[in-house]
Amino acid sequence: MDSTRTSPTPTQVPPPPDLAERCPSLRDLYMAAELEWSEGEPAINVYTSDGYFGAHKDHLALTVLIPLTAPSTDFEGGGTGFWAGNSAVGEDPRGPPDLVLAPAAGTALLFGGDVTHAGLPVAGGLRSVFVASFSTRTPASPPDRVHGLQMAPSVSPQFGGG
């Protein structure tokens, strides 16, 4: 074992050791259903006036956000807020984040799943964002979160995205 790598914590299960050889690219991982997705994702989240997505961590390896609408043209306010140091914050994101990004439509934001972030309240108009949070699948991955090229088999009643 490589001594520079840390052992998984009891809540982490590593992917199969041959995964990099079987699936050398992200596309290969997707096609082989070797990704575990956040519940209900990939998805398009739509925010109208006063709409927001509370502060949270995704707890997966990577999150990709791609705005589908343009700030100042399609909506006012909004954007994605980030809190430094993985701060514990309340779900209501009206408190000031350390950084707010509202990139142009089509510009990808990528960040690790342990970064505290939120979809900030939209003051007016309509904001839409493509979102996908994922990790490599492991034996501990819930079956309803490993669906590859098919639709997710179900979404819990608590899921409020869309």
Side-chain angles (χ1 to χ4, degrees):
M1 179 175 229
D2 181 349
S3 62
T4 61
R5 296 180 66 186
T6 58
S7 298
T9 63
T11 59
Q12 294 176 324
V13 178
D18 67 334
L19 186 61
E21 186 177 310
R22 289 188 293 117
C23 299
S25 73
L26 184 57
R27 180 183 184 281
D28 292 329
L29 287 167
Y30 176 75
M31 298 296 283
E34 290 290 346
L35 296 176
E36 174 184 340
W37 300 91
S38 186
E39 185 173 3
E41 292 181 4
I44 296 176
N45 294 346
V46 178
Y47 305 88
T48 56
S49 189
D50 292 328
Y52 67 91
F53 197 111
H56 64 285
K57 296 178 184 181
D58 296 323
H59 298 293
L60 293 168
L62 185 66
T63 295
V64 178
L65 293 177
I66 303 174
L68 303 175
T69 52
S72 300
T73 303
D74 298 314
F75 65 93
E76 295 294 327
T80 304
F82 295 91
W83 283 262
N86 296 325
S87 303
V89 296
E91 182 178 314
D92 184 347
R94 295 176 202 275
D98 296 300
L99 174 68
V100 176
L101 297 176
T107 303
L109 298 178
L110 291 93
F111 52 92
D114 286 330
V115 174
T116 303
H117 62 284
L120 299 178
V122 170
L126 184 122
R127 176 181 184 230
S128 59
V129 181
F130 169 83
V131 61
S133 303
F134 55 91
S135 292
T136 53
R137 180 172 67 108
T138 71
S141 296
D144 65 336
R145 302 233 183 139
V146 181
H147 47 84
L149 290 175
Q150 300 120 34
M151 294 293 291
S154 65
V155 175
S156 77
Q158 292 79 25
F159 176 68

